[in-house]
Structures are given as C-alpha cells and as structure tokens.
C-alpha cells in the first residue's frame, strides 16, 4: 500500500531536487534506500537535498512511508497541522477524507515550496505557511485536532556539535505545540 | 587468518627449516606502529572520509595492550556527531577504515611479508549499518606506516528516508576486526600475534 504522488515535475532549485525515478534509477542514496527498504518495482517521486555533490533522499512515496505514517492515517479528521511539505504525499489521503476540516502545512524551504506546492494534491481546505516549524508563531487563537511533524533529518544538529535525535525533536515539538494540538505525532516517533 | 606454516612466533623449527640446511625462519615477529620504539603490538587506524580526525579519535597505538588470554587488543573511539554525519553523506553512505603498521622481525631477517585484515563482528543498537566487510588487496610490504596495509574495512550506512541512519553513540555501537601479518624467509614463515581492533562509539 502506498500513496503514489503524481504530477510533480523533475526540477532542482538551490539545495533541493525533485526526481521522478524508479527502483533502479536515481541517486546513490535513493538506491541505498531501495535496497534497505526493499522497495518494489515502480515509479516514485523522490525529494533530495544536495550536500556538495551528494544528493540525499529525504522524502519518497514508498510503501515504507505509508507504513511510517500509520499514526496519521488513523487520525484524519478535523483541523490538521502538518510540519513539512515534502512531496505533499500525505495530502492524498487528507484530500480524500471528508472528515478533514482544514490542513495547515508549514514549510521552511522556499525551494521546496516552489518545486512542489503548485503541483501537489490539495483543495481549498489546504493552507501553506512559509515558516520554520521550530520558530513559527501560530496566529492567536490557533488550535488543531491533530498535528503531524515530519521535518527532522538524521543529520540535523544544534550548532554546538551535537546531533538532534528524533527524541530530541519530539520533545521540542511537544513543548512548543502541546498546548495547541489535541494529538501530536511525527515520523519515527516512538 | 593467514595460512601459517613453518615456525610459530618463537621462530624455530618448521618444515622448511628442517630441510633447509640449518637456517631459521623469522623470529620475534610483531605488528607495530613503526620500525622501532612505541608502539609494538599495535596499529594506527585511519578513515578515508575523515582525514583530519573530525570524528575518529586521533590514535597512535597507545590504546593497545597485550592480555594473557585476550591477546593484543585496542579500542579506538568514533564520535557520532555532525562530522560523522557529514562524512557519511559526502561518501554516499560509505566509510572506509584503514590500517597502518610495520611488521617487525627481531631475529632471522625476512625476505617477504604479508598483511591481512579480517572483519570479525559488529553491533549497533540503531541498526545503521547494512554491510561491513574487508575490502581490497593486502600489502606484501613490511612498512605500511605511510600507506595503509591494503585491506580495509568498509562500512555501509543505510539510507532511512530522512537521511542516512547513524550508529548509536555512547558505546552502543562497535566494529571489531583483526590485523595479522606474516614474515617469511627461505626457512619458513612466522605469523605475528593478531592485533584485535575495536572501533567503538564515544
């Protein structure tokens, strides 16, 4: 089972790149992921972040991703806050749910917005906020039924020589948004 | 392990010696970090993706010691932090750990030499590694203090979807491998005591 993204054209802006690839084509990091996650044959939309000459896959519409979004799958109703646009993959089930009232997507990278937003699944229930989920100040009176946070990358660091772990990220998010959101979940949260 | 024939580490006896007209195989053979002085029974570990020791501890061989039962063992630390992550990203998930050393012969000069690096074991509570293996061709030179011993340890990190998965810090991940060396002359071959290397997260 997967939410297959379609319609986002190949492109590269700044440090970000969209590539429509297959299980056997793409950058080394994607092919590594294909092997690690046992990705079956098919067409995939992959978002890369570039580091020098190396491209790192940071989002892809695979079966594994579907599974990793299981927490959100079970909570698609009401007002939803999404941290991170990515390839707009979770828009597909959110769009299909009549129980969803609104979807607020917060994305910090203008390049990702330019590559994805105009082409991803959405309707007038969806709103994009160009801001950093860590520093964004929600409008006064904001609240959500469900929050899904997926902006953490394994190499994120605190600027003092320490990596930010998934648990660190979870703690930061819960501290900042806990009073505004009824249920909070995120990618790779235990 | 290398195939060993002729004498043991004491350098006496052996089939070639028995028929060789009275000579002796190399003796007092050991793996060291240099031709003389400190450290004997030790190697120096490098990482191709970390030439300035950004995450691998600077090491001179001083952490190795010889135990009656465990043999020669030494631990070198690596720090799982931004430098480690940057190296993994830049190399598309691959880290290559290299070995530098010198094959000392105390008695009965050798005419040829052979290095061998053998991966033994690993553990990582984060399951970041998808493959670890010995790679390359072992050197036949005595002095591999400037260039590595030919065989190295390649570590492949998994790409988990939000970047490469990274091994667990604080002693919760390690890689173990053995370094062996032989010295040979017309009278036989003598193997140095194995140097057991552990790379462990700080």
């Amino acid at each position: 089972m997967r939410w297959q993204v379609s319609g986002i054209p190949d492109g590269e802006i700044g440090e970000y790149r969209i590539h429509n690839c297959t299980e056997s084509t793409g950058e080394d990091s994607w092919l590594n992921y294909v092997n690690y996650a046992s990705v079956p044959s098919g067409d995939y939309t992959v978002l890369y972040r570039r580091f020098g000459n190396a491209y790192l896959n940071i989002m892809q519409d695979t079966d594994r991703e579907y599974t990793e979004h299981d927490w959100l799958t079970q909570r698609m109703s009401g007002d939803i806050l999404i941290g991170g646009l990515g390839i707009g993959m979770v828009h597909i089930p959110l769009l299909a749910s009549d129980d969803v009232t609104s979807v607020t997507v917060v994305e910090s990278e203008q390049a990702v917005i330019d590559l994805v937003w105009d082409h991803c699944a959405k309707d007038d229930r969806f709103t994009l906020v160009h801001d950093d989920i860590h520093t964004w100040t929600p409008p006064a009176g904001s609240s959500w039924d469900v929050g899904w946070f997926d902006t953490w990358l394994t190499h994120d660091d605190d600027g003092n020589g320490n990596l930010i772990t998934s648990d660190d990220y979870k703690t930061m998010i819960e501290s900042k948004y806990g009073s505004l959101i009824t249920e909070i979940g995120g990618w790779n949260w235990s | 392990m290398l195939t060993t024939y002729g004498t043991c580490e004491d350098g006496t006896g052996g089939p070639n010696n028995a028929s060789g007209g009275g000579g002796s195989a190399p003796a007092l053979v050991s793996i060291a970090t240099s031709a003389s002085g400190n450290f004997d029974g030790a190697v120096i570990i490098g990482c191709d993706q970390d030439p300035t020791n950004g995450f691998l501890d600077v090491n001179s061989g001083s952490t190795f010691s010889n135990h009656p039962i465990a043999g020669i063992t030494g631990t070198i630390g690596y720090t799982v932090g931004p430098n480690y992550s940057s190296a993994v990203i830049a190399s598309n998930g691959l880290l290559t750990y290299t070995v530098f050393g010198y094959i000392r012969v105390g008695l009965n000069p050798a005419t040829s030499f052979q290095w061998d690096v053998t991966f033994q074991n690993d553990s990582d509570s984060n399951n970041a590694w998808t493959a670890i293996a010995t790679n390359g061709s072992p050197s036949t030179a005595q002095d591999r203090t400037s260039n590595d011993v030919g065989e190295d340890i390649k570590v492949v990190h998994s790409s988990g979807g939000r970047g490469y998965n990274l091994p667990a810090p604080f002693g919760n991940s390690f890689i173990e491998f053995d370094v062996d060396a032989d010295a040979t002359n017309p009278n036989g071959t003598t193997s140095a005591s194995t140097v057991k290397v552990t790379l462990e997260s700080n």
Side-chain angles (χ1 to χ4, degrees), chain B residues 107-143:
Chain B
L107 290 173
N108 311 323
T111 53
S112 64
F113 302 89
Q114 182 70 59
W115 289 93
D116 184 44
V117 176
T118 308
F119 167 69
Q120 294 293 337
N121 190 27
D122 74 281
S123 178
D124 171 29
S125 58
N126 282 356
N127 295 313
W129 300 318
T130 54
I132 303 177
T134 305
N135 186 72
S137 300
S139 172
T140 56
Q142 180 178 25
D143 184 357

PDB file of all heavy atoms in Angstrom, chain B residues 107-143:
ATOM      1  N   LEU B 107      64.577 -11.444  14.860  1.00  0.00           N
ATOM      2  CA  LEU B 107      65.664 -12.363  14.544  1.00  0.00           C
ATOM      3  C   LEU B 107      65.425 -12.972  13.174  1.00  0.00           C
ATOM      4  O   LEU B 107      64.282 -13.176  12.771  1.00  0.00           O
ATOM      5  CB  LEU B 107      65.735 -13.489  15.591  1.00  0.00           C
ATOM      6  CG  LEU B 107      66.210 -13.134  17.007  1.00  0.00           C
ATOM      7  CD1 LEU B 107      66.048 -14.343  17.924  1.00  0.00           C
ATOM      8  CD2 LEU B 107      67.668 -12.672  16.971  1.00  0.00           C
ATOM      9  N   ASN B 108      66.489 -13.286  12.481  1.00  0.00           N
ATOM     10  CA  ASN B 108      66.422 -14.010  11.205  1.00  0.00           C
ATOM     11  C   ASN B 108      65.621 -13.200  10.174  1.00  0.00           C
ATOM     12  O   ASN B 108      64.413 -13.396  10.029  1.00  0.00           O
ATOM     13  CB  ASN B 108      65.798 -15.401  11.372  1.00  0.00           C
ATOM     14  CG  ASN B 108      66.416 -16.162  12.524  1.00  0.00           C
ATOM     15  OD1 ASN B 108      67.626 -16.051  12.765  1.00  0.00           O
ATOM     16  ND2 ASN B 108      65.599 -16.892  13.260  1.00  0.00           N
ATOM     17  N   PRO B 109      66.260 -12.309   9.518  1.00  0.00           N
ATOM     18  CA  PRO B 109      65.568 -11.388   8.617  1.00  0.00           C
ATOM     19  C   PRO B 109      64.622 -12.072   7.638  1.00  0.00           C
ATOM     20  O   PRO B 109      64.909 -13.176   7.157  1.00  0.00           O
ATOM     21  CB  PRO B 109      66.719 -10.689   7.885  1.00  0.00           C
ATOM     22  CG  PRO B 109      67.872 -10.787   8.825  1.00  0.00           C
ATOM     23  CD  PRO B 109      67.710 -12.098   9.533  1.00  0.00           C
ATOM     24  N   ALA B 110      63.570 -11.394   7.356  1.00  0.00           N
ATOM     25  CA  ALA B 110      62.565 -11.910   6.423  1.00  0.00           C
ATOM     26  C   ALA B 110      62.819 -11.346   5.028  1.00  0.00           C
ATOM     27  O   ALA B 110      63.406 -10.269   4.859  1.00  0.00           O
ATOM     28  CB  ALA B 110      61.175 -11.515   6.894  1.00  0.00           C
ATOM     29  N   THR B 111      62.370 -12.090   4.050  1.00  0.00           N
ATOM     30  CA  THR B 111      62.514 -11.655   2.658  1.00  0.00           C
ATOM     31  C   THR B 111      61.182 -11.264   2.036  1.00  0.00           C
ATOM     32  O   THR B 111      61.149 -10.650   0.968  1.00  0.00           O
ATOM     33  CB  THR B 111      63.148 -12.770   1.820  1.00  0.00           C
ATOM     34  OG1 THR B 111      62.393 -13.974   2.006  1.00  0.00           O
ATOM     35  CG2 THR B 111      64.595 -13.009   2.243  1.00  0.00           C
ATOM     36  N   SER B 112      60.105 -11.640   2.685  1.00  0.00           N
ATOM     37  CA  SER B 112      58.799 -11.223   2.186  1.00  0.00           C
ATOM     38  C   SER B 112      57.825 -11.092   3.349  1.00  0.00           C
ATOM     39  O   SER B 112      58.040 -11.653   4.434  1.00  0.00           O
ATOM     40  CB  SER B 112      58.251 -12.207   1.141  1.00  0.00           C
ATOM     41  OG  SER B 112      58.032 -13.474   1.720  1.00  0.00           O
ATOM     42  N   PHE B 113      56.780 -10.363   3.084  1.00  0.00           N
ATOM     43  CA  PHE B 113      55.831 -10.034   4.148  1.00  0.00           C
ATOM     44  C   PHE B 113      54.400 -10.134   3.605  1.00  0.00           C
ATOM     45  O   PHE B 113      54.169 -10.045   2.395  1.00  0.00           O
ATOM     46  CB  PHE B 113      56.087  -8.617   4.671  1.00  0.00           C
ATOM     47  CG  PHE B 113      57.482  -8.436   5.197  1.00  0.00           C
ATOM     48  CD1 PHE B 113      58.516  -8.042   4.353  1.00  0.00           C
ATOM     49  CD2 PHE B 113      57.757  -8.674   6.531  1.00  0.00           C
ATOM     50  CE1 PHE B 113      59.801  -7.893   4.840  1.00  0.00           C
ATOM     51  CE2 PHE B 113      59.048  -8.522   7.017  1.00  0.00           C
ATOM     52  CZ  PHE B 113      60.077  -8.132   6.167  1.00  0.00           C
ATOM     53  N   GLN B 114      53.486 -10.270   4.532  1.00  0.00           N
ATOM     54  CA  GLN B 114      52.073 -10.360   4.126  1.00  0.00           C
ATOM     55  C   GLN B 114      51.192  -9.791   5.228  1.00  0.00           C
ATOM     56  O   GLN B 114      51.300 -10.182   6.388  1.00  0.00           O
ATOM     57  CB  GLN B 114      51.685 -11.818   3.878  1.00  0.00           C
ATOM     58  CG  GLN B 114      50.255 -12.020   3.398  1.00  0.00           C
ATOM     59  CD  GLN B 114      50.061 -11.513   1.968  1.00  0.00           C
ATOM     60  OE1 GLN B 114      50.726 -11.987   1.058  1.00  0.00           O
ATOM     61  NE2 GLN B 114      49.194 -10.535   1.805  1.00  0.00           N
ATOM     62  N   TRP B 115      50.324  -8.868   4.829  1.00  0.00           N
ATOM     63  CA  TRP B 115      49.340  -8.308   5.759  1.00  0.00           C
ATOM     64  C   TRP B 115      47.991  -8.971   5.551  1.00  0.00           C
ATOM     65  O   TRP B 115      47.692  -9.480   4.454  1.00  0.00           O
ATOM     66  CB  TRP B 115      49.190  -6.807   5.544  1.00  0.00           C
ATOM     67  CG  TRP B 115      50.355  -5.984   5.984  1.00  0.00           C
ATOM     68  CD1 TRP B 115      51.415  -5.589   5.212  1.00  0.00           C
ATOM     69  CD2 TRP B 115      50.583  -5.449   7.283  1.00  0.00           C
ATOM     70  NE1 TRP B 115      52.290  -4.843   5.955  1.00  0.00           N
ATOM     71  CE2 TRP B 115      51.799  -4.739   7.237  1.00  0.00           C
ATOM     72  CE3 TRP B 115      49.888  -5.509   8.489  1.00  0.00           C
ATOM     73  CZ2 TRP B 115      52.324  -4.084   8.355  1.00  0.00           C
ATOM     74  CZ3 TRP B 115      50.408  -4.852   9.591  1.00  0.00           C
ATOM     75  CH2 TRP B 115      51.609  -4.152   9.522  1.00  0.00           C
ATOM     76  N   ASP B 116      47.155  -8.909   6.566  1.00  0.00           N
ATOM     77  CA  ASP B 116      45.792  -9.438   6.430  1.00  0.00           C
ATOM     78  C   ASP B 116      44.877  -8.727   7.418  1.00  0.00           C
ATOM     79  O   ASP B 116      45.204  -8.624   8.604  1.00  0.00           O
ATOM     80  CB  ASP B 116      45.773 -10.947   6.711  1.00  0.00           C
ATOM     81  CG  ASP B 116      44.406 -11.551   6.496  1.00  0.00           C
ATOM     82  OD1 ASP B 116      43.763 -11.215   5.486  1.00  0.00           O
ATOM     83  OD2 ASP B 116      43.960 -12.338   7.349  1.00  0.00           O
ATOM     84  N   VAL B 117      43.771  -8.236   6.936  1.00  0.00           N
ATOM     85  CA  VAL B 117      42.753  -7.602   7.788  1.00  0.00           C
ATOM     86  C   VAL B 117      41.467  -8.411   7.648  1.00  0.00           C
ATOM     87  O   VAL B 117      41.036  -8.710   6.528  1.00  0.00           O
ATOM     88  CB  VAL B 117      42.500  -6.133   7.379  1.00  0.00           C
ATOM     89  CG1 VAL B 117      41.368  -5.525   8.203  1.00  0.00           C
ATOM     90  CG2 VAL B 117      43.774  -5.314   7.537  1.00  0.00           C
ATOM     91  N   THR B 118      40.878  -8.779   8.772  1.00  0.00           N
ATOM     92  CA  THR B 118      39.685  -9.628   8.752  1.00  0.00           C
ATOM     93  C   THR B 118      38.602  -9.045   9.641  1.00  0.00           C
ATOM     94  O   THR B 118      38.802  -8.896  10.859  1.00  0.00           O
ATOM     95  CB  THR B 118      40.025 -11.049   9.250  1.00  0.00           C
ATOM     96  OG1 THR B 118      41.144 -11.544   8.528  1.00  0.00           O
ATOM     97  CG2 THR B 118      38.824 -11.969   9.053  1.00  0.00           C
ATOM     98  N   PHE B 119      37.477  -8.711   9.041  1.00  0.00           N
ATOM     99  CA  PHE B 119      36.333  -8.249   9.836  1.00  0.00           C
ATOM    100  C   PHE B 119      35.834  -9.394  10.717  1.00  0.00           C
ATOM    101  O   PHE B 119      35.717 -10.540  10.262  1.00  0.00           O
ATOM    102  CB  PHE B 119      35.207  -7.767   8.915  1.00  0.00           C
ATOM    103  CG  PHE B 119      33.896  -7.567   9.628  1.00  0.00           C
ATOM    104  CD1 PHE B 119      33.739  -6.546  10.545  1.00  0.00           C
ATOM    105  CD2 PHE B 119      32.824  -8.415   9.393  1.00  0.00           C
ATOM    106  CE1 PHE B 119      32.539  -6.363  11.220  1.00  0.00           C
ATOM    107  CE2 PHE B 119      31.619  -8.236  10.055  1.00  0.00           C
ATOM    108  CZ  PHE B 119      31.480  -7.210  10.968  1.00  0.00           C
ATOM    109  N   GLN B 120      35.516  -9.072  11.962  1.00  0.00           N
ATOM    110  CA  GLN B 120      35.073 -10.103  12.897  1.00  0.00           C
ATOM    111  C   GLN B 120      33.626  -9.945  13.343  1.00  0.00           C
ATOM    112  O   GLN B 120      32.860 -10.896  13.341  1.00  0.00           O
ATOM    113  CB  GLN B 120      35.980 -10.097  14.140  1.00  0.00           C
ATOM    114  CG  GLN B 120      37.415 -10.517  13.851  1.00  0.00           C
ATOM    115  CD  GLN B 120      37.527 -11.971  13.443  1.00  0.00           C
ATOM    116  OE1 GLN B 120      36.670 -12.782  13.753  1.00  0.00           O
ATOM    117  NE2 GLN B 120      38.590 -12.314  12.716  1.00  0.00           N
ATOM    118  N   ASN B 121      33.272  -8.730  13.752  1.00  0.00           N
ATOM    119  CA  ASN B 121      31.969  -8.606  14.407  1.00  0.00           C
ATOM    120  C   ASN B 121      31.559  -7.133  14.467  1.00  0.00           C
ATOM    121  O   ASN B 121      32.405  -6.240  14.364  1.00  0.00           O
ATOM    122  CB  ASN B 121      32.058  -9.164  15.837  1.00  0.00           C
ATOM    123  CG  ASN B 121      30.705  -9.304  16.494  1.00  0.00           C
ATOM    124  OD1 ASN B 121      29.686  -9.478  15.833  1.00  0.00           O
ATOM    125  ND2 ASN B 121      30.680  -9.203  17.814  1.00  0.00           N
ATOM    126  N   ASP B 122      30.272  -6.914  14.635  1.00  0.00           N
ATOM    127  CA  ASP B 122      29.797  -5.551  14.844  1.00  0.00           C
ATOM    128  C   ASP B 122      28.512  -5.574  15.641  1.00  0.00           C
ATOM    129  O   ASP B 122      27.838  -6.616  15.708  1.00  0.00           O
ATOM    130  CB  ASP B 122      29.569  -4.827  13.509  1.00  0.00           C
ATOM    131  CG  ASP B 122      28.336  -5.320  12.798  1.00  0.00           C
ATOM    132  OD1 ASP B 122      28.413  -6.399  12.176  1.00  0.00           O
ATOM    133  OD2 ASP B 122      27.294  -4.649  12.878  1.00  0.00           O
ATOM    134  N   SER B 123      28.180  -4.464  16.215  1.00  0.00           N
ATOM    135  CA  SER B 123      26.910  -4.328  16.926  1.00  0.00           C
ATOM    136  C   SER B 123      26.506  -2.864  16.890  1.00  0.00           C
ATOM    137  O   SER B 123      27.356  -1.974  16.999  1.00  0.00           O
ATOM    138  CB  SER B 123      27.060  -4.792  18.376  1.00  0.00           C
ATOM    139  OG  SER B 123      25.845  -4.616  19.084  1.00  0.00           O
ATOM    140  N   ASP B 124      25.222  -2.628  16.719  1.00  0.00           N
ATOM    141  CA  ASP B 124      24.718  -1.254  16.704  1.00  0.00           C
ATOM    142  C   ASP B 124      23.241  -1.271  17.057  1.00  0.00           C
ATOM    143  O   ASP B 124      22.435  -1.804  16.306  1.00  0.00           O
ATOM    144  CB  ASP B 124      24.930  -0.625  15.324  1.00  0.00           C
ATOM    145  CG  ASP B 124      24.231   0.720  15.206  1.00  0.00           C
ATOM    146  OD1 ASP B 124      24.084   1.397  16.239  1.00  0.00           O
ATOM    147  OD2 ASP B 124      23.827   1.083  14.088  1.00  0.00           O
ATOM    148  N   SER B 125      22.915  -0.679  18.151  1.00  0.00           N
ATOM    149  CA  SER B 125      21.518  -0.697  18.579  1.00  0.00           C
ATOM    150  C   SER B 125      20.638   0.153  17.677  1.00  0.00           C
ATOM    151  O   SER B 125      19.408   0.061  17.741  1.00  0.00           O
ATOM    152  CB  SER B 125      21.395  -0.231  20.033  1.00  0.00           C
ATOM    153  OG  SER B 125      21.923   1.070  20.197  1.00  0.00           O
ATOM    154  N   ASN B 126      21.228   0.991  16.834  1.00  0.00           N
ATOM    155  CA  ASN B 126      20.450   1.768  15.865  1.00  0.00           C
ATOM    156  C   ASN B 126      20.292   1.062  14.521  1.00  0.00           C
ATOM    157  O   ASN B 126      19.582   1.566  13.644  1.00  0.00           O
ATOM    158  CB  ASN B 126      21.107   3.125  15.610  1.00  0.00           C
ATOM    159  CG  ASN B 126      20.831   4.125  16.716  1.00  0.00           C
ATOM    160  OD1 ASN B 126      20.080   3.838  17.643  1.00  0.00           O
ATOM    161  ND2 ASN B 126      21.438   5.289  16.626  1.00  0.00           N
ATOM    162  N   ASN B 127      20.967  -0.045  14.337  1.00  0.00           N
ATOM    163  CA  ASN B 127      20.911  -0.788  13.070  1.00  0.00           C
ATOM    164  C   ASN B 127      21.187   0.109  11.864  1.00  0.00           C
ATOM    165  O   ASN B 127      20.502   0.045  10.848  1.00  0.00           O
ATOM    166  CB  ASN B 127      19.549  -1.469  12.905  1.00  0.00           C
ATOM    167  CG  ASN B 127      19.310  -2.543  13.943  1.00  0.00           C
ATOM    168  OD1 ASN B 127      20.180  -3.379  14.193  1.00  0.00           O
ATOM    169  ND2 ASN B 127      18.149  -2.516  14.569  1.00  0.00           N
ATOM    170  N   ALA B 128      22.205   0.929  11.993  1.00  0.00           N
ATOM    171  CA  ALA B 128      22.506   1.890  10.924  1.00  0.00           C
ATOM    172  C   ALA B 128      23.297   1.280   9.780  1.00  0.00           C
ATOM    173  O   ALA B 128      23.290   1.821   8.681  1.00  0.00           O
ATOM    174  CB  ALA B 128      23.288   3.070  11.496  1.00  0.00           C
ATOM    175  N   TRP B 129      23.976   0.174  10.045  1.00  0.00           N
ATOM    176  CA  TRP B 129      24.862  -0.385   9.030  1.00  0.00           C
ATOM    177  C   TRP B 129      24.171  -1.519   8.276  1.00  0.00           C
ATOM    178  O   TRP B 129      23.586  -2.414   8.881  1.00  0.00           O
ATOM    179  CB  TRP B 129      26.136  -0.915   9.686  1.00  0.00           C
ATOM    180  CG  TRP B 129      26.911   0.126  10.417  1.00  0.00           C
ATOM    181  CD1 TRP B 129      27.163   1.399  10.002  1.00  0.00           C
ATOM    182  CD2 TRP B 129      27.519   0.011  11.715  1.00  0.00           C
ATOM    183  NE1 TRP B 129      27.909   2.072  10.951  1.00  0.00           N
ATOM    184  CE2 TRP B 129      28.147   1.245  11.993  1.00  0.00           C
ATOM    185  CE3 TRP B 129      27.622  -1.024  12.648  1.00  0.00           C
ATOM    186  CZ2 TRP B 129      28.844   1.475  13.179  1.00  0.00           C
ATOM    187  CZ3 TRP B 129      28.315  -0.795  13.822  1.00  0.00           C
ATOM    188  CH2 TRP B 129      28.920   0.442  14.085  1.00  0.00           C
ATOM    189  N   THR B 130      24.282  -1.469   6.968  1.00  0.00           N
ATOM    190  CA  THR B 130      23.713  -2.551   6.165  1.00  0.00           C
ATOM    191  C   THR B 130      24.770  -3.557   5.752  1.00  0.00           C
ATOM    192  O   THR B 130      24.434  -4.695   5.416  1.00  0.00           O
ATOM    193  CB  THR B 130      23.043  -2.009   4.891  1.00  0.00           C
ATOM    194  OG1 THR B 130      23.991  -1.207   4.172  1.00  0.00           O
ATOM    195  CG2 THR B 130      21.836  -1.176   5.241  1.00  0.00           C
ATOM    196  N   ALA B 131      26.024  -3.160   5.752  1.00  0.00           N
ATOM    197  CA  ALA B 131      27.089  -4.094   5.373  1.00  0.00           C
ATOM    198  C   ALA B 131      28.407  -3.596   5.949  1.00  0.00           C
ATOM    199  O   ALA B 131      28.682  -2.398   5.939  1.00  0.00           O
ATOM    200  CB  ALA B 131      27.188  -4.207   3.859  1.00  0.00           C
ATOM    201  N   ILE B 132      29.192  -4.539   6.446  1.00  0.00           N
ATOM    202  CA  ILE B 132      30.565  -4.256   6.876  1.00  0.00           C
ATOM    203  C   ILE B 132      31.413  -5.406   6.369  1.00  0.00           C
ATOM    204  O   ILE B 132      31.068  -6.575   6.586  1.00  0.00           O
ATOM    205  CB  ILE B 132      30.686  -4.147   8.402  1.00  0.00           C
ATOM    206  CG1 ILE B 132      29.742  -3.072   8.950  1.00  0.00           C
ATOM    207  CG2 ILE B 132      32.130  -3.841   8.797  1.00  0.00           C
ATOM    208  CD1 ILE B 132      29.761  -2.953  10.461  1.00  0.00           C
ATOM    209  N   ALA B 133      32.499  -5.084   5.703  1.00  0.00           N
ATOM    210  CA  ALA B 133      33.310  -6.159   5.136  1.00  0.00           C
ATOM    211  C   ALA B 133      34.734  -5.700   4.913  1.00  0.00           C
ATOM    212  O   ALA B 133      35.005  -4.506   4.770  1.00  0.00           O
ATOM    213  CB  ALA B 133      32.709  -6.617   3.806  1.00  0.00           C
ATOM    214  N   THR B 134      35.622  -6.678   4.883  1.00  0.00           N
ATOM    215  CA  THR B 134      37.000  -6.418   4.479  1.00  0.00           C
ATOM    216  C   THR B 134      37.024  -6.224   2.972  1.00  0.00           C
ATOM    217  O   THR B 134      36.320  -6.899   2.234  1.00  0.00           O
ATOM    218  CB  THR B 134      37.899  -7.600   4.865  1.00  0.00           C
ATOM    219  OG1 THR B 134      37.751  -7.854   6.258  1.00  0.00           O
ATOM    220  CG2 THR B 134      39.358  -7.295   4.557  1.00  0.00           C
ATOM    221  N   ASN B 135      37.857  -5.291   2.537  1.00  0.00           N
ATOM    222  CA  ASN B 135      37.906  -4.995   1.111  1.00  0.00           C
ATOM    223  C   ASN B 135      39.345  -4.673   0.711  1.00  0.00           C
ATOM    224  O   ASN B 135      40.145  -4.217   1.528  1.00  0.00           O
ATOM    225  CB  ASN B 135      37.011  -3.786   0.820  1.00  0.00           C
ATOM    226  CG  ASN B 135      36.886  -3.511  -0.656  1.00  0.00           C
ATOM    227  OD1 ASN B 135      36.229  -4.260  -1.364  1.00  0.00           O
ATOM    228  ND2 ASN B 135      37.534  -2.462  -1.134  1.00  0.00           N
ATOM    229  N   GLY B 136      39.678  -4.930  -0.534  1.00  0.00           N
ATOM    230  CA  GLY B 136      40.985  -4.560  -1.039  1.00  0.00           C
ATOM    231  C   GLY B 136      41.965  -5.718  -1.080  1.00  0.00           C
ATOM    232  O   GLY B 136      41.635  -6.857  -0.729  1.00  0.00           O
ATOM    233  N   SER B 137      43.166  -5.421  -1.505  1.00  0.00           N
ATOM    234  CA  SER B 137      44.218  -6.435  -1.629  1.00  0.00           C
ATOM    235  C   SER B 137      45.284  -6.181  -0.569  1.00  0.00           C
ATOM    236  O   SER B 137      45.817  -5.072  -0.467  1.00  0.00           O
ATOM    237  CB  SER B 137      44.860  -6.373  -3.020  1.00  0.00           C
ATOM    238  OG  SER B 137      43.895  -6.611  -4.013  1.00  0.00           O
ATOM    239  N   PRO B 138      45.623  -7.198   0.216  1.00  0.00           N
ATOM    240  CA  PRO B 138      46.594  -6.996   1.284  1.00  0.00           C
ATOM    241  C   PRO B 138      47.989  -6.726   0.761  1.00  0.00           C
ATOM    242  O   PRO B 138      48.425  -7.337  -0.224  1.00  0.00           O
ATOM    243  CB  PRO B 138      46.529  -8.310   2.067  1.00  0.00           C
ATOM    244  CG  PRO B 138      46.027  -9.315   1.093  1.00  0.00           C
ATOM    245  CD  PRO B 138      45.100  -8.582   0.181  1.00  0.00           C
ATOM    246  N   SER B 139      48.657  -5.826   1.419  1.00  0.00           N
ATOM    247  CA  SER B 139      50.005  -5.463   1.006  1.00  0.00           C
ATOM    248  C   SER B 139      51.007  -6.571   1.341  1.00  0.00           C
ATOM    249  O   SER B 139      50.807  -7.364   2.255  1.00  0.00           O
ATOM    250  CB  SER B 139      50.422  -4.179   1.734  1.00  0.00           C
ATOM    251  OG  SER B 139      51.776  -3.892   1.492  1.00  0.00           O
ATOM    252  N   THR B 140      52.106  -6.584   0.593  1.00  0.00           N
ATOM    253  CA  THR B 140      53.211  -7.501   0.876  1.00  0.00           C
ATOM    254  C   THR B 140      54.462  -6.717   1.272  1.00  0.00           C
ATOM    255  O   THR B 140      55.580  -7.232   1.176  1.00  0.00           O
ATOM    256  CB  THR B 140      53.513  -8.386  -0.351  1.00  0.00           C
ATOM    257  OG1 THR B 140      53.781  -7.542  -1.471  1.00  0.00           O
ATOM    258  CG2 THR B 140      52.349  -9.312  -0.660  1.00  0.00           C
ATOM    259  N   ALA B 141      54.269  -5.494   1.701  1.00  0.00           N
ATOM    260  CA  ALA B 141      55.402  -4.664   2.125  1.00  0.00           C
ATOM    261  C   ALA B 141      55.521  -4.665   3.648  1.00  0.00           C
ATOM    262  O   ALA B 141      54.524  -4.753   4.354  1.00  0.00           O
ATOM    263  CB  ALA B 141      55.208  -3.236   1.626  1.00  0.00           C
ATOM    264  N   GLN B 142      56.735  -4.575   4.123  1.00  0.00           N
ATOM    265  CA  GLN B 142      56.974  -4.552   5.563  1.00  0.00           C
ATOM    266  C   GLN B 142      56.488  -3.251   6.188  1.00  0.00           C
ATOM    267  O   GLN B 142      55.887  -3.254   7.253  1.00  0.00           O
ATOM    268  CB  GLN B 142      58.470  -4.722   5.834  1.00  0.00           C
ATOM    269  CG  GLN B 142      58.839  -4.719   7.316  1.00  0.00           C
ATOM    270  CD  GLN B 142      60.335  -4.937   7.533  1.00  0.00           C
ATOM    271  OE1 GLN B 142      61.159  -4.639   6.667  1.00  0.00           O
ATOM    272  NE2 GLN B 142      60.686  -5.495   8.686  1.00  0.00           N
ATOM    273  N   ASP B 143      56.768  -2.176   5.508  1.00  0.00           N
ATOM    274  CA  ASP B 143      56.473  -0.856   6.067  1.00  0.00           C
ATOM    275  C   ASP B 143      55.205  -0.296   5.453  1.00  0.00           C
ATOM    276  O   ASP B 143      55.183   0.128   4.293  1.00  0.00           O
ATOM    277  CB  ASP B 143      57.656   0.080   5.786  1.00  0.00           C
ATOM    278  CG  ASP B 143      57.460   1.457   6.415  1.00  0.00           C
ATOM    279  OD1 ASP B 143      56.386   1.703   7.007  1.00  0.00           O
ATOM    280  OD2 ASP B 143      58.390   2.284   6.310  1.00  0.00           O
TER     281      ASP B 143
END
